[in-house]
Amino acid sequence: MRVNKKYSCLPAEEKGIHIINIRAIEDIGYDQHESTLLNSLSKNPDADCKYGLYFRDGKRKVDYILVYHYKKSSAGKTLTRRVHHNDSSARSTKQDQPLPGKGAQLEMRESEPHVDYHEDDKRFRREEYEGNLVEAGLELERDEDTKIHGVGFVKIHAPWNVLCREAEFLKLKMPTKKMYQINQTHGLLKKINSVIQKITEPIQPKVAEHKPQTVKRLSYPFSREKQHLFDLSDRDSFFDSKTRSTIVYEILKRTTCTKAKYSMGITSLLANGVYSAAYPLHDGDYEGENVEPNDRKLLCEEWASYGVFYKYQPIDLVRKYFGEKIGLYFAWLGVYTQMLIPASIVGIIVFLYGCATVDENIPSMEMCDQRNNITMCPLCDRTCSYWKMSSACATARASHLFDNPATVFFSVFMALWAATFMEHWKRKQMRLNYRWDLTGFEEEEDHPRAEYEAKVLEKSLRKEHKQKETDKEKLTWKDRFPAYLTNFVGIIFMVGLTFAIVFGVIIYRISTAAALAISSTPSGRSSVRVTVTATAVIINLVVIIILDEVYGCIARWLTQIEVPKTDKNFEERLIFKAFLLKFVNAYTPIFYVAFFKGRFVGRPGDYVYIFHSFRMEECAPGGCLMELCIQLSIIMLGKQLIQNNLFEIGIPKMKKFIRYMKLKRRRSLDHEEHMKKKQRYEVDYNLEPFAGLTPEYMEMIIQFGFVTLFVASFPLAPLFALLNNIIEIRLDAKKFVTELRRPVAVRAKDIGIWYNILRGIGKLAVIINAFVISFTSDFIPRLVYLYMYSENGTMHGFVNHTLSSFNVSDFQAGTAPNDPMDLGYEVQICRYKDYREPPWSENKYDISKDFWAVLAARLAFVIVFQNLVMFMSDFVDWIIPDIPKDISQQIHKEKVLMVEVFMREEQGKLQMLETWKDNDKKKGENCNNHSPRLPRSRSGSLSSCHSYPLDV
């Protein structure tokens, strides 16, 4: 039995198959007589098929493309033979060559070069799989005569009956003939909305889908039995290209290939190299002369252009072209960017308040006052000398820009902002669900992944079961235990590696500070802290960027060895691991500065040492908040600039340049091929494959953490995030439209696990900001001093109150400064920042009562702040309904209208049935009147009369 018999096992009339064009038949071994293969060459075939968008007949649209690699003979180009076939002359086609049956194939193989066994196996799998696709109702056309040598393309078209069948299986909601009026606002709200529309008209995209709608078509899950409900006046546009490709992809996933001894869909065939790529086509070109209008070109002009950065996104057109899942990502990104505008404005006001009040800040004025003559203890052993507090004047003044009472208000504001943002997004999501007919959509369980099926097969073969029991096998936790153990050990190792790198940077900071302190110039000594901080942060930034890429690959590998069953499980597990590793990688240096630096230093004469030689570093006299601000700003800005923007722009450009150089070499070898215009599927094949939305979401989630977690130390974070996102939206849009292959449209009603991660970060931000304000800044010590220790109710004397005294005679041997006369006078008492008893006290250098009072106030502030802000956030969550009132009314209205439609249909059926019964009764009476004496023929007459309504 020949392999290609499946191509002719069904009548063409029954399956609606008219053309299957296969080239290089002698390489594949198809039967030219029995198959339904056809070549529809015309005088200008490329123009007829619109350069690959349609089949060779120029009528049927290409819905999907399968790409495979094949080997040509070394004698030259493969000869292409085409067989013409139609309904009237299918069986009478004459052959110029003998049928390539088994004997003919052997003769051909003898004259051809030796072909690898694996190539034969892949070819046979493709033959069977494509035959099964034909049995499923799809129409195929093969093309191997392309400009890309060694690459073949299989074009797939889904006819009308297949589209209807699959739309019913997938429960796709399609617009019906019934239209209804959308509820409009009245009175004052209507006037306000009209004014807003006029004001925002210049920033609205010029696309039809973005215009406000007053009427909407009633949608209902497609049913072949109820086709009369739907508007089928134009069948070609009833199912758009996005829906057609989704339907074909579902068929490709569930169509099996049994040559591998287990079920193989398109994902398995791609994983095994049987096909090298599978993708739907873009609608056409987006640039150039005489380009026909299409959605891709419109998206490029009104969305994927930096010149329209100030405009709203055409989200409905994005959804129409890329599907709901990608549409929801860009909708979420747009809402997030819009919500950053008020946060940026408040952050700028807080920063300006700090600038305006810096000259009125008494603690910084006292630190900068030369008359105070406060001598500070050395910053390191032996090589560092005593120093004046006034030398840290610039740091103290800069700290006030971010460490002032307004930052506490800003932390509360950002916590409420995060809660409002989440509620606003839920409402926006419901509006989109209503507009996109996703209100009743429920995700169904996806097909098992290829790796999972292979693992199940391997397990079943190890057992002494029959082949019939293979489907009953599944992977248990015992099968996955080695993978789980590897995951646990791997994640712990990666987290430990991050901590080790941060510890190494700490050693660098300590040693570099000691080395720079040897400088004899006063300017060099004063800039030691800034120099060490800046260089250490740059090192941290480089390490974070490198480890981000490494951790992304490791997270994917750890997820792969777990062998999740479905793509959804795989994606969720990958997101969890990648987020955990990247979160630790990005925020560990910041957590160190915020909560650990300067906490375990010790005191003069009893310092804490690392490796018995490096002394733990201290915070500046103005606190660690300024250093935290520097760390946060450099990492955030550097990560956004280098990783998010330069990498996303530079790497695709570089790959595109490499592909261009390769094509240029090929064109120089074949000038005739260079003069041909590429087909659409060839152009799209050279684009980058779509790798999912996980990287896009991940960078935005990490940025959301920078904006909310440590916002008390950097009020300008929302502003820089806003500026980045304005570029990011257009950059991602340009990448999706011009740099990537068109992804398969995926239906989704929400953003999935990312919403839970955002909520978790929002809750964590409240706790972290409470600790930053109470422990990292001097806000609580100032309040304690103002209300408990200040003699005149002002901040005068606060700096002196936070400093403890140390007698230089109590230095440990070998730790005193080598040059004690560096300041020009002998120092007997030096000061250091801590709450300890003075050297003349009975319990000298012990922790004082002031320390415990400040600690109690700090802990009390954390508890009060956390509970108050959490309560306010939950109140905002409760007071704002998840579903807008007008949307809930519209959804209810749709249900009522749908019930009315079906009630009218049922009433029509009943009326028609009653009409048939009346006609039947009248006909029966007429038959009785005409033949009273023919009892034997009466039944026949009545049956003939009764058959009348049935014929009608």
Side-chain angles (χ1 to χ4, degrees):
M1 180 178 178
R2 282 183 288 272
V3 178
N4 59 324
K5 230 174 182 181
K6 289 187 176 1
Y7 281 88
S8 57
C9 61
L10 293 175
E13 296 83 6
E14 181 179 341
K15 302 301 287 186
I17 302 168
H18 303 296
I19 292 181
I20 300 172
N21 181 15
I22 307 286
R23 298 190 179 183
I25 295 174
E26 70 276 8
D27 281 351
I28 298 171
Y30 284 126
D31 191 331
Q32 298 179 6
H33 178 70
E34 294 183 355
S35 65
T36 58
L37 309 180
L38 174 66
N39 169 37
S40 56
L41 269 179
S42 61
K43 294 182 180 178
N44 191 3
D46 290 342
D48 289 345
C49 66
K50 294 188 178 179
Y51 296 98
L53 287 174
Y54 288 80
F55 274 24
R56 288 281 173 182
D57 59 4
K59 296 178 181 179
R60 289 169 301 156
K61 191 172 183 180
V62 176
D63 299 320
Y64 218 87
I65 290 291
L66 300 179
V67 187
Y68 60 92
H69 289 276
Y70 66 93
K71 291 184 178 180
K72 290 187 176 183
S73 60
S74 58
K77 284 188 176 181
T78 305
L79 297 176
T80 60
R81 295 176 187 162
R82 299 171 181 178
V83 184
H84 191 78
H85 169 78
N86 56 27
D87 295 341
S88 61
S89 61
R91 300 299 178 186
S92 60
T93 304
K94 295 184 179 180
Q95 301 180 65
D96 296 329
Q97 299 289 337
L99 294 178
K102 291 183 178 179
Q105 288 183 20
L106 290 174
E107 293 176 4
M108 291 168 62
R109 299 282 167 81
E110 290 176 0
S111 60
E112 289 181 357
H114 176 69
V115 182
D116 189 8
Y117 167 77
H118 294 290
E119 291 299 321
D120 280 343
D121 183 59
K122 290 179 182 179
R123 187 173 71 250
F124 291 148
R125 290 190 192 182
R126 285 197 297 269
E127 290 173 4
E128 183 193 6
Y129 182 70
E130 290 164 14
N132 293 339
L133 291 180
V134 172
E135 287 187 1
L138 298 179
E139 300 176 6
L140 311 181
E141 186 177 74
R142 187 185 299 272
D143 187 2
E144 290 183 358
D145 187 18
T146 63
K147 296 180 69 174
I148 307 175
H149 297 289
V151 176
F153 297 88
V154 177
K155 296 174 276 187
I156 302 176
H157 169 77
W160 173 256
N161 59 335
V162 174
L163 294 173
C164 294
R165 181 191 71 204
E166 297 299 323
E168 184 173 351
F169 291 166
L170 297 174
K171 300 177 183 178
L172 296 180
K173 273 191 171 183
M174 304 303 294
T176 62
K177 297 176 182 178
K178 176 69 176 176
M179 301 181 70
Y180 67 95
Q181 193 78 17
I182 297 177
N183 294 338
Q184 301 294 324
T185 55
H186 301 284
L188 182 61
L189 287 177
K190 185 176 182 181
K191 294 180 180 178
I192 293 174
N193 288 338
S194 62
V195 171
I196 293 175
Q197 286 179 6
K198 289 180 181 178
I199 294 174
T200 59
E201 187 176 357
I203 60 176
Q204 300 291 345
K206 298 177 181 178
V207 296
E209 286 80 2
H210 198 76
K211 294 179 180 178
Q213 297 178 347
T214 57
V215 293
K216 185 178 184 290
R217 286 189 179 273
L218 194 63
S219 296
Y220 185 74
F222 187 82
S223 173
R224 287 173 289 181
E225 295 180 356
K226 301 184 181 297
Q227 288 193 32
H228 58 277
L229 296 177
F230 302 94
D231 184 12
L232 302 179
S233 57
D234 186 6
R235 290 189 173 188
D236 293 337
S237 61
F238 183 74
F239 295 106
D240 57 12
S241 59
K242 165 186 68 73
T243 307
R244 297 175 70 97
S245 62
T246 302
I247 288 174
V248 173
Y249 183 64
E250 288 296 325
I251 298 175
L252 293 176
K253 282 200 298 184
R254 72 165 185 261
T255 301
T256 58
C257 177
T258 57
K259 282 192 179 297
K261 297 182 182 179
Y262 68 99
S263 174
M264 291 185 68
I266 186 61
T267 52
S268 303
L269 295 173
L270 289 171
N272 294 328
V274 179
Y275 291 101
S276 58
Y279 52 89
L281 292 179
H282 280 291
D283 279 357
D285 292 326
Y286 60 90
E287 60 182 359
E289 298 180 359
N290 302 324
V291 176
E292 294 184 3
N294 57 72
D295 287 342
R296 188 188 187 193
K297 186 175 185 294
L298 188 58
L299 283 172
C300 188
E301 293 172 351
E302 294 294 330
W303 181 52
S305 173
Y306 296 109
V308 294
F309 72 92
Y310 59 91
K311 288 187 177 183
Y312 286 101
Q313 299 182 86
I315 293 298
D316 291 326
L317 185 60
V318 174
R319 173 253 179 180
K320 177 185 175 185
Y321 193 78
F322 291 109
E324 286 79 6
K325 192 171 184 178
I326 294 176
L328 281 173
Y329 163 71
F330 282 103
W332 173 83
L333 185 56
V335 170
Y336 172 46
T337 305
Q338 288 177 6
M339 289 294 293
L340 283 174
I341 296 175
S344 303
I345 294 173
V346 177
I348 293 171
I349 293 173
V350 170
F351 179 74
L352 293 177
Y353 171 81
C355 295
T357 58
V358 67
D359 293 329
E360 301 173 4
N361 184 39
I362 295 175
S364 62
M365 291 171 62
E366 289 182 350
M367 290 182 65
C368 295
D369 192 355
Q370 298 281 350
R371 295 171 295 178
N372 287 337
N373 197 26
I374 299 177
T375 304
M376 303 297 293
C377 294
L379 297 174
C380 62
D381 294 341
R382 295 187 299 276
T383 55
C384 299
S385 185
Y386 305 102
W387 55 285
K388 293 284 187 180
M389 175 173 274
S390 58
S391 63
C393 175
T395 306
R397 289 174 63 86
S399 296
H400 178 73
L401 301 178
F402 308 100
D403 188 6
N404 56 68
T407 56
V408 180
F409 158 76
F410 191 56
S411 299
V412 177
F413 171 81
M414 288 302 295
L416 298 179
W417 172 88
T420 307
F421 162 61
M422 300 304 295
E423 290 303 309
H424 179 44
W425 166 245
K426 281 197 289 188
R427 291 169 64 86
K428 177 70 173 179
Q429 193 170 254
M430 282 306 302
R431 289 188 181 277
L432 294 176
N433 285 342
Y434 163 72
R435 218 157 68 201
W436 297 347
D437 299 321
L438 295 171
T439 49
F441 171 70
E442 293 295 336
E443 292 186 9
E444 298 180 357
E445 187 176 358
D446 201 357
H447 299 277
R449 298 175 62 249
E451 293 81 358
Y452 180 84
E453 290 186 339
K455 203 74 174 178
V456 169
L457 174 67
E458 183 182 345
K459 179 183 177 181
S460 65
L461 292 178
R462 284 200 304 264
K463 293 185 176 182
E464 296 179 357
H465 290 299
K466 294 181 180 180
Q467 189 67 25
K468 293 182 180 179
E469 299 183 6
T470 303
D471 295 334
K472 298 180 181 179
E473 292 291 340
K474 63 179 181 179
L475 299 183
T476 62
W477 68 270
K478 293 181 180 179
D479 300 318
R480 291 193 173 104
F481 180 75
Y484 289 154
L485 183 63
T486 306
N487 270 260
F488 178 77
V489 173
I491 291 175
I492 294 297
F493 175 77
M494 291 299 119
V495 172
L497 176 63
T498 304
F499 289 163
I501 292 174
V502 171
F503 182 75
V505 175
I506 294 171
I507 299 297
Y508 162 80
R509 291 159 67 110
I510 296 171
S511 57
T512 307
L516 292 177
I518 302 176
S519 174
S520 58
T521 60
S523 60
R525 293 177 186 175
S526 62
S527 62
V528 166
R529 195 178 298 274
V530 177
T531 305
V532 170
T533 301
T535 55
V537 171
I538 292 173
I539 293 173
N540 275 328
L541 174 62
V542 174
V543 170
I544 286 172
I545 292 175
I546 294 174
L547 287 183
D548 254 4
E549 303 300 323
V550 175
Y551 286 169
C553 298
I554 291 175
R556 180 169 290 276
W557 176 74
L558 291 175
T559 309
Q560 286 173 347
I561 64 174
E562 280 188 38
V563 197
K565 184 176 181 180
T566 63
D567 288 330
K568 184 179 179 181
N569 292 340
F570 181 88
E571 186 180 20
E572 289 180 350
R573 296 186 184 193
L574 173 62
I575 288 171
F576 174 75
K577 294 180 184 64
F579 174 74
L580 177 63
L581 293 175
K582 293 189 177 185
F583 182 89
V584 172
N585 181 40
Y587 295 113
T588 299
I590 301 173
F591 269 93
Y592 165 73
V593 175
F595 302 121
F596 296 99
K597 184 179 180 182
R599 308 292 174 193
F600 312 102
V601 178
R603 60 170 180 82
D606 189 20
Y607 283 114
V608 177
Y609 291 90
I610 302 175
F611 304 133
H612 304 286
S613 57
F614 296 107
R615 206 172 89 186
M616 289 293 291
E617 54 183 347
E618 305 175 41
C619 287
C624 278
L625 199 68
M626 183 61 197
E627 189 171 341
L628 177 62
C629 174
I630 295 173
Q631 185 105 358
L632 184 66
S633 59
I634 292 180
I635 290 178
M636 178 183 176
L637 296 179
K639 200 171 184 303
Q640 289 184 164
L641 180 65
I642 298 174
Q643 191 174 24
N644 296 356
N645 291 332
L646 291 183
F647 279 13
E648 288 191 15
I649 296 174
I651 292 178
K653 293 289 184 186
M654 184 174 65
K655 289 181 178 179
K656 196 173 182 179
F657 177 74
I658 292 173
R659 288 195 300 267
Y660 171 75
M661 294 303 294
K662 290 181 178 178
L663 290 174
K664 193 174 180 181
R665 290 180 182 176
R666 292 176 180 175
R667 288 171 181 174
S668 61
L669 296 175
D670 194 342
H671 181 70
E672 293 182 0
E673 293 286 339
H674 170 62
M675 298 305 294
K676 291 182 181 179
K677 183 178 179 180
K678 275 191 174 183
Q679 303 290 325
R680 177 79 264 154
Y681 44 85
E682 295 178 82
V683 177
D684 288 1
Y685 177 70
N686 289 326
L687 299 176
E688 285 293 310
F690 175 64
L693 289 171
T694 300
E696 314 300 334
Y697 272 114
M698 188 67 70
E699 64 184 68
M700 288 295 106
I701 298 296
I702 296 295
Q703 185 204 81
F704 182 78
F706 282 121
V707 169
T708 54
L709 292 180
F710 297 94
V711 74
S713 63
F714 190 39
L716 296 179
L719 175 63
F720 290 111
L722 173 64
L723 297 176
N724 174 80
N725 287 5
I726 291 174
I727 301 173
E728 181 73 21
I729 290 175
R730 307 303 164 179
L731 182 64
D732 284 347
K734 196 173 186 65
K735 181 171 67 174
F736 272 83
V737 174
T738 65
E739 302 289 342
L740 298 179
R741 294 175 191 162
R742 188 175 183 177
V744 179
V746 178
R747 288 188 296 169
K749 61 188 302 184
D750 52 41
I751 60 175
I753 193 176
W754 296 110
Y755 181 81
N756 298 328
I757 293 176
L758 285 169
R759 285 190 66 87
I761 291 177
K763 300 293 183 184
L764 183 63
V766 176
I767 302 172
I768 290 179
N769 280 304
F771 277 94
V772 168
I773 293 171
S774 60
F775 284 91
T776 308
S777 73
D778 283 339
F779 177 74
I780 300 301
R782 288 172 186 169
L783 286 181
V784 171
Y785 177 79
L786 185 64
Y787 292 105
M788 292 182 63
Y789 301 103
S790 178
E791 297 177 356
N792 52 8
T794 64
M795 293 301 295
H796 289 287
F798 170 74
V799 174
N800 187 59
H801 179 262
T802 58
L803 297 177
S804 298
S805 301
F806 177 76
N807 193 331
V808 298
S809 61
D810 294 332
F811 271 121
Q812 291 182 356
T815 61
N818 295 331
D819 187 8
M821 300 295 293
D822 184 59
L823 295 178
Y825 57 88
E826 184 179 357
V827 178
Q828 296 182 349
I829 299 293
C830 67
R831 310 295 296 274
Y832 61 98
K833 190 172 183 178
D834 204 349
Y835 290 100
R836 291 182 179 270
E837 297 290 341
W840 50 83
S841 173
E842 294 181 1
N843 302 316
K844 64 177 184 179
Y845 307 133
D846 285 350
I847 295 175
S848 64
K849 296 179 180 179
D850 299 342
F851 172 83
W852 300 112
V854 172
L855 179 62
R858 282 173 165 167
L859 293 176
F861 175 82
V862 169
I863 295 172
V864 172
F865 181 89
Q866 174 184 337
N867 287 280
L868 178 63
V869 176
M870 287 285 191
F871 170 77
M872 295 172 69
S873 300
D874 291 340
F875 180 74
V876 170
D877 191 355
W878 172 76
I879 202 173
I880 301 176
D882 293 346
I883 304 177
K885 186 178 179 180
D886 60 327
I887 296 299
S888 60
Q889 291 175 351
Q890 298 290 351
I891 294 174
H892 178 70
K893 186 176 180 179
E894 278 196 350
K895 292 180 180 178
V896 172
L897 289 173
M898 187 55 66
V899 171
E900 289 179 0
V901 169
F902 285 116
M903 288 298 292
R904 289 175 185 173
E905 186 178 358
E906 290 298 322
Q907 290 175 1
K909 289 180 179 178
L910 290 174
Q911 291 176 359
M912 187 178 295
L913 188 59
E914 290 176 358
T915 304
W916 286 351
K917 286 183 178 179
D918 293 340
N919 293 337
D920 186 16
K921 189 175 181 181
K922 291 178 181 178
K923 211 63 178 168
E925 292 176 356
N926 294 335
C927 291
N928 291 335
N929 293 332
H930 286 294
S931 56
R933 297 181 181 178
L934 297 173
R936 292 184 179 179
S937 61
R938 181 178 177 177
S939 59
S941 302
L942 285 175
S943 64
S944 63
C945 294
H946 280 287
S947 66
Y948 173 73
L950 296 178
D951 294 340
V952 174

